[in-house]
Amino acid sequence: MCAMPERKEAVLPLTGYDREALKFFYETMVKIRNFELTVEKYFFEGEIPGFVHLYIGEEAIATGVMANLRKSDYIQSTHRGHGHTIAKGADLKHMMAELFGKSTGCCKGKGGSMHIADFSVGMLGANGIVGGGFTMATGAALAQKMQKTDGVSVAFFGDGASNRGTFHEAANMAAVWKLPVIFLCENNQWASTTPYLTTTSVADIADRAQGYGMPGVIVDGNDVFAVYEAAKDLIDRARRGEGPCILECKTYRIKGHFVGDPEMYRTKKEVQQVLEETDPIPRFEKKVLDAGVMTREELDSIAARVNKELNEALEYARTSPEPEVSALFEGLYV
Amino acid sequence: MKTITFSQATLEAMQEEMRRDERVFVLGEDIVRQGGIFGQFKGLPDEFGSRIIDTPISETAIVGASVGAALAGMRPVADMHFADFVGVCFDEIYNQMAKIYYMFGGQKPVSMVLRAPDGLVNQAAAQHSQSVEAFFLHIPGLKVVIPSNPADAKGLLKSAIRDDNPVLYFEHKQLFPVKGEVPEGEHLVPIGKAKVVKEGKDVTLVSWSMTMNLAIKAAQTLEKEGISVELIDLRTVSPLDKETILSSVEKTSRLAIAHEAVKQGGVGAEISAIVAEEALDCLDAPIVRVGAPFTPVPFARSLEQAYRITPEKIAAGIRGMM
């Protein structure tokens, strides 16, 4: 029998982190934030088509989790998948080109934002179907177990997706077969335009772990250190063959459900207040500067490098050609 | 040649392919102890151990996990228990399994087989008797095969397992105990190729699965009446072998299609449309489709008998064309 979900905080002293980890945290969070701001801008300018869902405010989760993963580990992402894809190590040029619908995109312009994937880094796909990834991550973990690797699969999902039947079927299957799956809940409080509490039977999604005989852990999803440390424990546990878990990261969706969402369901003031109080990037900066483990100059130089990479990606995407019409019929069957 | 049942033919296909490729594994409900609901997996656990997996009653997770395992380098063969249950996991089939290869720009195919026992048996009624192959004709990215006899059952299953694309394999429940000749040794049947079972000159009759066997009987009756029937076993629903059908219709100038599924929106409708679009000038008579009425499969013997396609109904349909 599993106990009630544990609420965990970061406990390691910052001086205990190696510098590469700290740099990865900052670089990845800034990369995601600025990538998303760029995407938002070019969506409104009409250059990025389709439906786009931004990860702004949730960067600490993908970053803290992915810092524990190997390239060979798998993730299943969501419709809000740019952050996961970046943190797993995908190339920004091919990502941006995909969002612009160009032939040089990582999916050759066939997928777009909601269907972005980069198998070369173990990113098995965003999903336009909310809750579509649970069972596939479970199957990838089944393969990892059958292949006798110590790899893990992470299924990212939101509070809204936890009400899909797929969640419950996958959780039971993963638990009964003791598969190395991390069910990674990004509880951003909003199921599209609906406050999740009005449609969800529990306040903490991690409570549902009990029903499947697996551990549930809750962390502050806007504290990259807390996410990293909790994810490390659970991922190591899964690598040891001790089975799946739910890690619930409490966060908040700063932007609308999709780019262009008029957000009639909440006030700007509410959003602004949450951002000021919990934005993971300033929180990280304050922590590392206060602890004296990084300097302002180091942070600025990382941000400058990220922006350079991002500008190159943008240029690459904007100047790449759209797919030839002949590509319509390519790649339907092997 | 040897004479074995349809069920044994599928079992041989599984054994041969699992010996050949250790990435192939089986998952589904009631497989390990029962050998599958129709015994079609009997004995596999003895030889292949942990590669034969009993699942929870979770069709969504069975198909979704198969897709995930395929993406991670395995080649799953998932069993759907009854084809009717595809409704439970339709999203995993048509939004995930069918689309992943295309929408992710060809990064990785979903190499898996979904086996689905379909069709009328034992008055199983509305939710355990359906033939649903037409649903999947409408979905780009899937291959759909549907054998009518033991030899094709074996050859198509082996080809399906070796195919890098996702394949739906419909196996009619009434066919499992049916015996037939199967070639000795390696036997593969190509996916996407219909078979001219018998040549004829007056009318082309296209059928598949269990109904193919009824079509053969109907043709024998019609031959005695002087109507020469060219019989085509479709074998693969998607991709559809237009060429074999069109070249036959060009020869016979008449087309009839018989299938167990509901006539409205059935595979016969697509075949009819193809022939109307591409070979209307060849036709000497309107196309005839023989399919089930537009109702759920009823339970009572009298109603099921009225519902089901018979050799007599097929023969009557064709007589009306002459």
Side-chain angles (χ1 to χ4, degrees), chain A residues 74 76 98 106-108 110-112 114-120 123-129 131-133 135-144 146-148 164-166 169-170 172-173 176-177 327-334, chain B residues 25 27 50-74 88 91-92 95-98 100-110 139-143 163-166 238-239:
Chain A
Y74 297 118
Q76 280 285 346
E98 185 59 35
C106 46
C107 304
K108 298 181 180 168
K110 299 265 182 71
M114 282 194 294
H115 318 104
I116 195 160
D118 188 346
F119 283 58
S120 71
M123 193 308 202
L124 300 184
N127 213 308
I129 307 299
T135 59
M136 293 192 287
T138 300
L142 173 63
Q144 287 165 318
M146 293 180 86
Q147 292 158 349
K148 297 190 171 33
R164 282 288 318 279
T166 48
E169 287 199 11
N172 177 65
M173 185 178 268
V176 77
W177 294 342
L328 178 63
F329 293 104
E330 287 167 10
L332 179 57
Y333 295 99
V334 180
Chain B
F25 73 101
L27 70 170
S50 60
R51 289 165 67 195
I52 313 296
I53 303 174
D54 267 345
T55 64
I57 300 176
S58 301
E59 287 81 8
T60 304
I62 293 169
V63 178
S66 298
V67 174
L71 295 180
M74 302 298 284
V88 178
D91 182 68
E92 280 58 36
N95 270 324
Q96 316 295 345
M97 184 168 119
I100 280 175
Y101 183 62
Y102 185 86
M103 78 179 174
F104 293 158
Q107 293 187 55
K108 181 94 181 169
V110 182
I139 302 171
L142 296 178
K143 291 189 177 181
D163 201 296
D164 284 337
N165 301 286
S238 188

Side-chain angles (χ1 to χ4, degrees), chain A residues 10-54:
Chain A
V11 293
L12 276 178
L14 263 54
T15 48
Y17 278 88
D18 73 48
R19 297 193 54 74
E20 290 311 307
L22 295 174
K23 282 192 209 164
F24 176 83
F25 290 165
Y26 191 65
E27 177 172 335
T28 307
M29 289 197 292
V30 172
K31 202 183 270 186
I32 297 170
R33 172 69 54 92
N34 292 358
F35 183 92
E36 296 293 60
L37 290 170
T38 306
V39 168
E40 185 181 43
K41 175 171 186 276
Y42 284 89
F43 181 90
F44 283 128
E45 290 186 9
E47 288 194 46
I48 292 179
F51 293 149
V52 173
H53 307 80
L54 300 178

Side-chain angles (χ1 to χ4, degrees), chain B residues 246 248-254 275 278-285:
Chain B
L246 289 169
S248 175
V249 171
E250 279 163 20
K251 184 173 81 176
T252 63
S253 305
R254 287 183 181 82
V275 171
E278 302 189 29
L280 189 62
D281 294 349
C282 300
L283 293 177
D284 287 346

Side-chain angles (χ1 to χ4, degrees), chain B residues 36 45 55 67 95 100 105 113 122 131 146 149 152 161 172 234 274 306 315:
Chain B
T55 64
V67 174
N95 270 324
I100 280 175
V113 180
N122 297 347
S131 293
I146 189 158
N149 60 71
D152 286 349
I161 293 169
H172 198 291
L234 194 61
I274 290 169

Side-chain angles (χ1 to χ4, degrees), chain A residues 9-334:
Chain A
E9 294 179 359
V11 293
L12 276 178
L14 263 54
T15 48
Y17 278 88
D18 73 48
R19 297 193 54 74
E20 290 311 307
L22 295 174
K23 282 192 209 164
F24 176 83
F25 290 165
Y26 191 65
E27 177 172 335
T28 307
M29 289 197 292
V30 172
K31 202 183 270 186
I32 297 170
R33 172 69 54 92
N34 292 358
F35 183 92
E36 296 293 60
L37 290 170
T38 306
V39 168
E40 185 181 43
K41 175 171 186 276
Y42 284 89
F43 181 90
F44 283 128
E45 290 186 9
E47 288 194 46
I48 292 179
F51 293 149
V52 173
H53 307 80
L54 300 178
Y55 196 64
I56 288 173
E58 305 180 33
E59 296 90 344
I61 304 172
T63 303
V65 171
M66 246 61 89
N68 290 290
L69 295 185
R70 305 165 185 159
K71 199 171 172 182
S72 56
D73 292 321
Y74 297 118
I75 64 164
Q76 280 285 346
S77 179
T78 69
H79 57 289
R80 200 174 303 288
H82 308 163
H84 309 139
T85 315
I86 292 169
K88 193 71 171 67
D91 179 84
L92 290 192
K93 286 207 298 278
H94 299 127
M95 272 188 75
M96 193 66 91
E98 185 59 35
L99 301 195
F100 275 77
K102 299 300 181 71
S103 62
T104 53
C106 46
C107 304
K108 298 181 180 168
K110 299 265 182 71
S113 169
M114 282 194 294
H115 318 104
I116 195 160
D118 188 346
F119 283 58
S120 71
V121 296
M123 193 308 202
L124 300 184
N127 213 308
I129 307 299
V130 171
F134 294 116
T135 59
M136 293 192 287
T138 300
L142 173 63
Q144 287 165 318
K145 187 173 181 178
M146 293 180 86
Q147 292 158 349
K148 297 190 171 33
T149 72
D150 66 347
V152 300
S153 295
V154 180
F156 285 91
F157 67 106
D159 39 277
S162 76
N163 294 326
R164 282 288 318 279
T166 48
F167 167 70
H168 300 276
E169 287 199 11
N172 177 65
M173 185 178 268
V176 77
W177 294 342
K178 270 193 152 186
L179 299 179
V181 191
I182 317 301
F183 294 106
L184 204 298
C185 181
E186 301 175 312
N187 185 341
N188 69 14
Q189 319 292 320
W190 293 96
S192 188
T193 67
T194 305
Y196 86 103
L197 277 172
T198 64
T199 54
T200 304
S201 62
V202 287
D204 297 322
I205 307 301
D207 275 351
R208 291 181 167 168
Q210 257 198 319
Y212 299 103
M214 62 172 85
V217 174
I218 298 168
V219 291
D220 176 350
N222 285 28
D223 177 356
V224 70
F225 298 102
V227 174
Y228 172 80
E229 290 176 25
K232 182 173 193 335
D233 287 349
L234 293 167
I235 289 169
D236 287 348
R237 179 180 174 277
R239 288 200 201 285
R240 290 193 303 268
E242 293 172 32
C245 60
I246 296 177
L247 174 56
E248 178 179 3
C249 302
K250 302 283 193 187
T251 185
Y252 187 89
R253 199 190 68 217
I254 294 297
K255 292 288 178 175
H257 170 55
F258 55 94
V259 182
D261 179 355
E263 299 183 61
M264 306 297 279
Y265 45 85
R266 62 183 186 183
T267 63
K268 284 201 169 66
K269 196 177 154 208
E270 174 190 330
V271 177
Q272 196 53 37
Q273 190 179 343
V274 174
L275 185 63
E276 280 166 17
E277 289 169 5
T278 68
D279 188 338
I281 295 175
R283 277 178 71 182
F284 175 91
E285 290 172 347
K286 183 168 180 347
K287 270 197 176 180
V288 294
L289 294 173
D290 286 354
V293 293
M294 291 183 90
T295 64
R296 187 75 248 174
E297 292 69 36
E298 275 180 288
L299 297 177
D300 290 347
S301 107
I302 289 171
R305 195 170 68 236
V306 164
N307 287 336
K308 183 168 175 288
E309 188 185 345
L310 200 49
N311 285 334
E312 286 166 7
L314 181 64
E315 179 66 13
Y316 180 80
R318 296 182 77 193
T319 56
S320 286
E322 288 196 11
E324 297 288 333
V325 172
S326 60
L328 178 63
F329 293 104
E330 287 167 10
L332 179 57
Y333 295 99
V334 180

